[in-house]
Amino acid sequence: MRSLLAAAAFAISAFANAGSLPEGPHLYVKGMSSMEVQPDAAIIRVAITEKHKSLPDAKSNVDQIMAKAIQIAKDFGIKSKDIHAQQLNVHRQTRYNRKSNEEEFEGFRVNRSLTVKLKDLAEYPNLLQAFVDSGINQFNNTEFVVEDKAEYMKKLKKSAIEEAKAAARELADDFDVDLGRLYSVSFSPMNVPVQPYARGKMMAAESMDVSQAYNTGDTTLSAEVYAVYFIE
């Protein structure tokens, strides 16, 4: 399920600017379309941090926990290409002793990070719990993404184009002029000093209700198109 938003904007100008607009009378319109899409993958970034006065012991503990976490990721169906374990980071930590006026060795802080891409979002809370149980003690962030945007963007661009065409027809009718041929079109704003005017209100065709233990929320994808039409 998805929610679709659409709007259009226009401006009238009879002046050329930096080659973006024609010299004759014309309409400059903007079509915009956006869609709320449920993410289909999660990029999860976690880490294990260990502090110990013995560097070999700290490294051994971290490596063991990381090996468990990697195996857990595989058990959840995550492919090896979507599992990225970073190299070991070691920091020697000291503390200043005010009585002796000296730096005292406290131990080694050893850290390794792990990034995985989970495609079965229903397993997200279970994977997090499994990481906790394995000894992972640092959860950095999770990014919910839409993996295949191509089909969505194709629909969004078509919708934006229809909005731009509707804006041009509507504006021409309102000013009792005939809409001429298309002069130019772009999917990025033109370098003109004209502020677009919204064509009507943005309306949501549908809304999404996501009720899960971990609400992944929606990702908004959008497309814009800018077109210039001659008027007669």
Side-chain angles (χ1 to χ4, degrees):
M1 185 181 292
R2 60 181 183 271
S3 175
L4 181 65
L5 304 177
F10 67 82
I12 298 181
S13 175
F15 303 94
N17 183 74
S20 297
L21 300 175
E23 294 183 0
H26 58 273
L27 302 180
Y28 174 39
V29 297
K30 170 186 174 182
M32 180 176 67
S33 183
S34 64
M35 179 184 296
E36 291 182 358
V37 182
Q38 178 67 34
D40 54 17
I43 300 175
I44 306 168
R45 299 177 179 88
V46 300
I48 170 64
T49 299
E50 181 88 4
K51 184 177 178 181
H52 203 288
K53 287 195 173 183
S54 169
L55 180 56
D57 288 344
K59 179 182 181 302
S60 177
N61 292 340
V62 167
D63 286 344
Q64 288 180 26
I65 293 174
M66 183 58 64
K68 290 180 184 178
I70 291 174
Q71 185 57 53
I72 287 171
K74 292 180 178 179
D75 292 342
F76 273 80
I78 300 176
K79 297 180 180 179
S80 296
K81 68 182 182 66
D82 292 326
I83 301 174
H84 304 280
Q86 303 299 321
Q87 296 299 317
L88 199 72
N89 291 313
V90 179
H91 301 278
R92 189 177 187 277
Q93 294 188 319
T94 60
R95 180 181 60 181
Y96 181 71
N97 189 321
R98 298 193 177 203
K99 293 182 179 180
S100 64
N101 292 323
E102 294 180 351
E103 292 286 338
E104 295 181 350
F105 174 67
E106 281 197 317
F108 293 99
R109 184 175 178 271
V110 179
N111 173 277
R112 282 193 73 184
S113 299
L114 176 68
T115 301
V116 301
K117 181 188 289 184
L118 177 68
K119 297 184 179 181
D120 184 359
L121 293 184
E123 292 290 354
Y124 176 62
N126 298 326
L127 177 59
L128 292 188
Q129 186 59 54
F131 279 156
V132 171
D133 296 340
S134 72
I136 291 293
N137 58 14
Q138 186 176 333
F139 292 80
N140 296 327
N141 63 72
T142 297
E143 178 184 0
F144 295 100
V145 299
V146 178
E147 282 227 284
D148 187 8
K149 297 181 181 179
E151 195 61 31
Y152 289 119
M153 293 307 299
K154 183 178 179 181
K155 293 178 180 179
L156 285 170
K157 287 182 178 180
K158 285 187 176 181
S159 180
I161 290 171
E162 290 302 317
E163 283 296 322
K165 290 162 65 177
R169 289 192 298 266
E170 180 179 278
L171 189 58
D173 289 342
D174 287 344
F175 282 91
D176 298 320
V177 296
D178 294 326
L179 189 64
R181 63 183 176 84
L182 180 67
Y183 173 75
S184 67
V185 63
S186 172
F187 286 102
S188 59
M190 297 181 184
N191 183 24
V192 295
V194 178
Q195 294 298 321
Y197 175 81
R199 188 184 75 94
K201 295 182 178 179
M202 298 179 68
M203 300 183 64
E206 300 177 27
S207 61
M208 176 176 290
D209 179 22
V210 182
S211 53
Q212 300 176 349
Y214 287 80
N215 190 339
T216 59
D218 296 343
T219 295
T220 301
L221 303 179
S222 62
E224 295 180 347
V225 62
Y226 299 80
V228 177
Y229 287 87
F230 284 108
I231 54 176
E232 301 172 356

mmCIF file of all heavy atoms in Angstrom, residues 60-83:
data_model
loop_
_atom_site.group_PDB
_atom_site.id
_atom_site.type_symbol
_atom_site.label_atom_id
_atom_site.label_comp_id
_atom_site.label_asym_id
_atom_site.label_seq_id
_atom_site.Cartn_x
_atom_site.Cartn_y
_atom_site.Cartn_z
ATOM 1 N N SER A 60 40.440 -11.422 21.862
ATOM 2 C CA SER A 60 39.829 -12.746 21.783
ATOM 3 C C SER A 60 38.335 -12.679 22.076
ATOM 4 O O SER A 60 37.520 -13.287 21.367
ATOM 5 C CB SER A 60 40.520 -13.694 22.771
ATOM 6 O OG SER A 60 39.890 -14.965 22.761
ATOM 7 N N ASN A 61 37.977 -11.926 23.109
ATOM 8 C CA ASN A 61 36.560 -11.804 23.466
ATOM 9 C C ASN A 61 35.760 -11.142 22.353
ATOM 10 O O ASN A 61 34.665 -11.579 22.003
ATOM 11 C CB ASN A 61 36.405 -11.017 24.772
ATOM 12 C CG ASN A 61 36.942 -11.764 25.973
ATOM 13 O OD1 ASN A 61 37.092 -12.988 25.929
ATOM 14 N ND2 ASN A 61 37.228 -11.046 27.047
ATOM 15 N N VAL A 62 36.326 -10.068 21.808
ATOM 16 C CA VAL A 62 35.638 -9.341 20.740
ATOM 17 C C VAL A 62 35.486 -10.213 19.501
ATOM 18 O O VAL A 62 34.415 -10.251 18.873
ATOM 19 C CB VAL A 62 36.402 -8.046 20.404
ATOM 20 C CG1 VAL A 62 35.901 -7.448 19.093
ATOM 21 C CG2 VAL A 62 36.236 -7.032 21.519
ATOM 22 N N ASP A 63 36.538 -10.912 19.126
ATOM 23 C CA ASP A 63 36.479 -11.765 17.937
ATOM 24 C C ASP A 63 35.445 -12.879 18.095
ATOM 25 O O ASP A 63 34.739 -13.235 17.146
ATOM 26 C CB ASP A 63 37.850 -12.361 17.648
ATOM 27 C CG ASP A 63 38.818 -11.340 17.068
ATOM 28 O OD1 ASP A 63 38.346 -10.274 16.611
ATOM 29 O OD2 ASP A 63 40.040 -11.597 17.077
ATOM 30 N N GLN A 64 35.363 -13.447 19.306
ATOM 31 C CA GLN A 64 34.400 -14.524 19.542
ATOM 32 C C GLN A 64 32.966 -14.022 19.413
ATOM 33 O O GLN A 64 32.108 -14.667 18.793
ATOM 34 C CB GLN A 64 34.622 -15.127 20.928
ATOM 35 C CG GLN A 64 35.882 -15.968 21.049
ATOM 36 C CD GLN A 64 36.061 -16.550 22.438
ATOM 37 O OE1 GLN A 64 35.102 -16.759 23.170
ATOM 38 N NE2 GLN A 64 37.310 -16.809 22.816
ATOM 39 N N ILE A 65 32.698 -12.862 19.995
ATOM 40 C CA ILE A 65 31.349 -12.308 19.926
ATOM 41 C C ILE A 65 31.018 -11.914 18.492
ATOM 42 O O ILE A 65 29.888 -12.117 18.019
ATOM 43 C CB ILE A 65 31.211 -11.098 20.876
ATOM 44 C CG1 ILE A 65 31.320 -11.575 22.322
ATOM 45 C CG2 ILE A 65 29.898 -10.370 20.649
ATOM 46 C CD1 ILE A 65 31.348 -10.464 23.350
ATOM 47 N N MET A 66 31.987 -11.354 17.782
ATOM 48 C CA MET A 66 31.745 -10.977 16.393
ATOM 49 C C MET A 66 31.449 -12.199 15.539
ATOM 50 O O MET A 66 30.566 -12.168 14.670
ATOM 51 C CB MET A 66 32.960 -10.224 15.842
ATOM 52 C CG MET A 66 32.793 -9.726 14.412
ATOM 53 S SD MET A 66 31.375 -8.622 14.175
ATOM 54 C CE MET A 66 31.851 -7.222 15.197
ATOM 55 N N ALA A 67 32.161 -13.283 15.781
ATOM 56 C CA ALA A 67 31.920 -14.524 15.034
ATOM 57 C C ALA A 67 30.497 -15.026 15.288
ATOM 58 O O ALA A 67 29.811 -15.480 14.359
ATOM 59 C CB ALA A 67 32.944 -15.584 15.430
ATOM 60 N N LYS A 68 30.037 -14.926 16.535
ATOM 61 C CA LYS A 68 28.658 -15.325 16.862
ATOM 62 C C LYS A 68 27.652 -14.445 16.128
ATOM 63 O O LYS A 68 26.663 -14.940 15.584
ATOM 64 C CB LYS A 68 28.422 -15.211 18.377
ATOM 65 C CG LYS A 68 29.154 -16.235 19.222
ATOM 66 C CD LYS A 68 28.822 -16.006 20.693
ATOM 67 C CE LYS A 68 29.597 -16.944 21.593
ATOM 68 N NZ LYS A 68 29.308 -16.678 23.034
ATOM 69 N N ALA A 69 27.905 -13.142 16.131
ATOM 70 C CA ALA A 69 26.980 -12.205 15.495
ATOM 71 C C ALA A 69 26.891 -12.448 13.992
ATOM 72 O O ALA A 69 25.804 -12.396 13.401
ATOM 73 C CB ALA A 69 27.410 -10.770 15.783
ATOM 74 N N ILE A 70 28.031 -12.739 13.364
ATOM 75 C CA ILE A 70 28.044 -13.015 11.929
ATOM 76 C C ILE A 70 27.256 -14.279 11.622
ATOM 77 O O ILE A 70 26.474 -14.341 10.660
ATOM 78 C CB ILE A 70 29.485 -13.129 11.412
ATOM 79 C CG1 ILE A 70 30.179 -11.762 11.466
ATOM 80 C CG2 ILE A 70 29.509 -13.682 9.987
ATOM 81 C CD1 ILE A 70 31.648 -11.799 11.119
ATOM 82 N N GLN A 71 27.418 -15.300 12.453
ATOM 83 C CA GLN A 71 26.680 -16.545 12.246
ATOM 84 C C GLN A 71 25.184 -16.337 12.452
ATOM 85 O O GLN A 71 24.358 -16.903 11.724
ATOM 86 C CB GLN A 71 27.196 -17.623 13.199
ATOM 87 C CG GLN A 71 26.573 -18.998 12.969
ATOM 88 C CD GLN A 71 26.784 -19.488 11.546
ATOM 89 O OE1 GLN A 71 27.912 -19.523 11.057
ATOM 90 N NE2 GLN A 71 25.699 -19.855 10.860
ATOM 91 N N ILE A 72 24.836 -15.493 13.429
ATOM 92 C CA ILE A 72 23.422 -15.176 13.668
ATOM 93 C C ILE A 72 22.825 -14.501 12.440
ATOM 94 O O ILE A 72 21.712 -14.825 12.009
ATOM 95 C CB ILE A 72 23.277 -14.269 14.909
ATOM 96 C CG1 ILE A 72 23.535 -15.077 16.170
ATOM 97 C CG2 ILE A 72 21.891 -13.623 14.961
ATOM 98 C CD1 ILE A 72 23.632 -14.240 17.424
ATOM 99 N N ALA A 73 23.566 -13.559 11.864
ATOM 100 C CA ALA A 73 23.082 -12.870 10.661
ATOM 101 C C ALA A 73 22.822 -13.871 9.539
ATOM 102 O O ALA A 73 21.788 -13.800 8.847
ATOM 103 C CB ALA A 73 24.090 -11.822 10.213
ATOM 104 N N LYS A 74 23.729 -14.818 9.362
ATOM 105 C CA LYS A 74 23.545 -15.844 8.330
ATOM 106 C C LYS A 74 22.342 -16.729 8.637
ATOM 107 O O LYS A 74 21.597 -17.117 7.728
ATOM 108 C CB LYS A 74 24.808 -16.688 8.203
ATOM 109 C CG LYS A 74 26.003 -15.926 7.644
ATOM 110 C CD LYS A 74 27.236 -16.815 7.544
ATOM 111 C CE LYS A 74 28.409 -16.055 6.947
ATOM 112 N NZ LYS A 74 29.640 -16.896 6.860
ATOM 113 N N ASP A 75 22.141 -17.035 9.926
ATOM 114 C CA ASP A 75 20.994 -17.856 10.320
ATOM 115 C C ASP A 75 19.668 -17.160 10.028
ATOM 116 O O ASP A 75 18.628 -17.818 9.858
ATOM 117 C CB ASP A 75 21.071 -18.197 11.816
ATOM 118 C CG ASP A 75 22.224 -19.143 12.146
ATOM 119 O OD1 ASP A 75 22.737 -19.796 11.214
ATOM 120 O OD2 ASP A 75 22.621 -19.218 13.334
ATOM 121 N N PHE A 76 19.696 -15.830 9.987
ATOM 122 C CA PHE A 76 18.497 -15.066 9.669
ATOM 123 C C PHE A 76 18.344 -14.852 8.155
ATOM 124 O O PHE A 76 17.522 -14.054 7.730
ATOM 125 C CB PHE A 76 18.523 -13.707 10.377
ATOM 126 C CG PHE A 76 17.951 -13.752 11.769
ATOM 127 C CD1 PHE A 76 18.717 -14.217 12.837
ATOM 128 C CD2 PHE A 76 16.649 -13.342 12.021
ATOM 129 C CE1 PHE A 76 18.199 -14.259 14.116
ATOM 130 C CE2 PHE A 76 16.116 -13.383 13.294
ATOM 131 C CZ PHE A 76 16.889 -13.848 14.353
ATOM 132 N N GLY A 77 19.140 -15.559 7.390
ATOM 133 C CA GLY A 77 18.998 -15.505 5.946
ATOM 134 C C GLY A 77 19.720 -14.360 5.276
ATOM 135 O O GLY A 77 19.501 -14.095 4.084
ATOM 136 N N ILE A 78 20.593 -13.675 5.997
ATOM 137 C CA ILE A 78 21.343 -12.571 5.403
ATOM 138 C C ILE A 78 22.532 -13.137 4.638
ATOM 139 O O ILE A 78 23.326 -13.906 5.186
ATOM 140 C CB ILE A 78 21.816 -11.590 6.488
ATOM 141 C CG1 ILE A 78 20.599 -11.016 7.233
ATOM 142 C CG2 ILE A 78 22.632 -10.459 5.875
ATOM 143 C CD1 ILE A 78 20.959 -10.104 8.385
ATOM 144 N N LYS A 79 22.662 -12.739 3.385
ATOM 145 C CA LYS A 79 23.732 -13.261 2.545
ATOM 146 C C LYS A 79 25.080 -12.655 2.940
ATOM 147 O O LYS A 79 25.145 -11.551 3.471
ATOM 148 C CB LYS A 79 23.438 -12.966 1.072
ATOM 149 C CG LYS A 79 22.173 -13.644 0.560
ATOM 150 C CD LYS A 79 21.935 -13.321 -0.903
ATOM 151 C CE LYS A 79 20.667 -14.006 -1.406
ATOM 152 N NZ LYS A 79 20.398 -13.689 -2.829
ATOM 153 N N SER A 80 26.137 -13.392 2.630
ATOM 154 C CA SER A 80 27.495 -12.955 2.993
ATOM 155 C C SER A 80 27.827 -11.586 2.410
ATOM 156 O O SER A 80 28.511 -10.778 3.047
ATOM 157 C CB SER A 80 28.521 -13.986 2.513
ATOM 158 O OG SER A 80 28.336 -15.224 3.169
ATOM 159 N N LYS A 81 27.320 -11.294 1.199
ATOM 160 C CA LYS A 81 27.622 -10.000 0.574
ATOM 161 C C LYS A 81 26.961 -8.835 1.305
ATOM 162 O O LYS A 81 27.331 -7.675 1.101
ATOM 163 C CB LYS A 81 27.199 -10.010 -0.891
ATOM 164 C CG LYS A 81 25.705 -10.077 -1.129
ATOM 165 C CD LYS A 81 25.391 -10.120 -2.612
ATOM 166 C CE LYS A 81 23.894 -10.144 -2.882
ATOM 167 N NZ LYS A 81 23.233 -8.894 -2.480
ATOM 168 N N ASP A 82 25.974 -9.151 2.146
ATOM 169 C CA ASP A 82 25.275 -8.121 2.916
ATOM 170 C C ASP A 82 25.724 -8.087 4.372
ATOM 171 O O ASP A 82 25.063 -7.486 5.226
ATOM 172 C CB ASP A 82 23.760 -8.344 2.850
ATOM 173 C CG ASP A 82 23.202 -8.113 1.457
ATOM 174 O OD1 ASP A 82 23.739 -7.230 0.757
ATOM 175 O OD2 ASP A 82 22.244 -8.799 1.066
ATOM 176 N N ILE A 83 26.842 -8.744 4.663
ATOM 177 C CA ILE A 83 27.422 -8.747 6.015
ATOM 178 C C ILE A 83 28.818 -8.145 5.939
ATOM 179 O O ILE A 83 29.681 -8.647 5.215
ATOM 180 C CB ILE A 83 27.507 -10.182 6.588
ATOM 181 C CG1 ILE A 83 26.111 -10.815 6.644
ATOM 182 C CG2 ILE A 83 28.143 -10.169 7.968
ATOM 183 C CD1 ILE A 83 26.130 -12.279 7.061
#
